[in-house]
Amino acid sequence: MKIAVVNGPNLNLLSKRETDIYGKYSLDEINNMLLDKARVMGVELDFFFSNTEGEIVSYIQTLFDWDGLIINAAAYTHTSIAIRDAIKAVKIPFVEVHISNIFARENFRHTSYLSDIALAVVSGCGAYGYLYALDYLVRVLKQV
Ligand code: DQA
């Protein structure tokens, strides 16, 4: 089973960026936690990070024969019809992740262009949200 993990703009700054909101874990540390879990679950992961909307769209377009996607589109969550369309185009089941609770923050973060087409949304669980997303996605895909 192959699952892609996509992170959008500024998430490369995790551990340095607004740590009161986004916590102490770096993106590498989160990805390593995911790798440990994926190994136990017998799942293959591919990680993609970009600050650029078009690069994220181009990467998602390569996921036609992949089983699932975990995506934190960061600020593009609230703006990007292009990322939504790319996910719909490749018809990939996905879980949307946000480290912070976007519903407890500014109004402009309450809108997501992805939530209504996601299998699930994990928001406000910090870095652990990625692990919960992986757990849930694999259970749904394996139907266990
Ligand atoms: C975020 C929430 C977004 O509103 C914000 O733009 C981000 C990160 C989160 O993980 O909490 O960059 O997606």
Side-chain angles (χ1 to χ4, degrees):
M1 183 175 293
K2 296 192 300 184
I3 294 179
V5 181
V6 170
N7 280 287
N10 300 307
L11 293 172
N12 57 323
L13 298 182
L14 288 175
S15 83
K16 300 186 185 85
R17 168 194 190 201
E18 296 178 282
T19 51
D20 51 323
I21 296 175
Y22 297 114
K24 62 177 181 185
Y25 291 111
S26 68
L27 191 54
D28 279 349
E29 287 170 331
I30 292 171
N31 289 347
N32 282 330
M33 287 192 263
L34 278 170
L35 274 179
D36 285 345
K37 188 170 178 61
R39 221 169 280 130
V40 174
M41 299 183 94
V43 170
E44 184 189 331
L45 296 182
D46 188 57
F47 297 101
F48 183 79
F49 160 79
S50 178
N51 280 320
T52 306
E53 184 177 20
E55 286 181 4
I56 295 171
V57 168
S58 295
Y59 176 76
I60 292 170
Q61 286 181 2
T62 68
L63 300 178
F64 265 102
D65 58 346
W66 284 65
D67 299 296
L69 168 67
I70 294 167
I71 181 165
N72 184 348
Y76 290 139
T77 305
H78 318 299
T79 61
S80 181
I81 299 168
I83 291 175
R84 176 192 177 91
D85 285 352
I87 293 174
K88 287 194 85 173
V90 298
K91 291 196 178 82
I92 192 164
F94 75 99
V95 178
E96 174 183 349
V97 172
H98 300 286
I99 293 166
S100 63
N101 177 357
I102 56 173
F103 303 103
R105 300 182 63 195
E106 304 95 319
N107 280 335
F108 62 83
R109 295 186 206 276
H110 298 179
T111 303
S112 164
Y113 279 90
L114 304 180
S115 297
D116 66 303
I117 56 166
L119 278 179
V121 180
V122 184
S123 183
C125 297
Y128 304 120
Y130 290 90
L131 302 177
Y132 304 148
L134 179 61
D135 193 88
Y136 179 67
L137 192 52
V138 173
R139 282 174 195 276
V140 168
L141 294 173
K142 287 189 176 167
Q143 297 184 322
V144 291

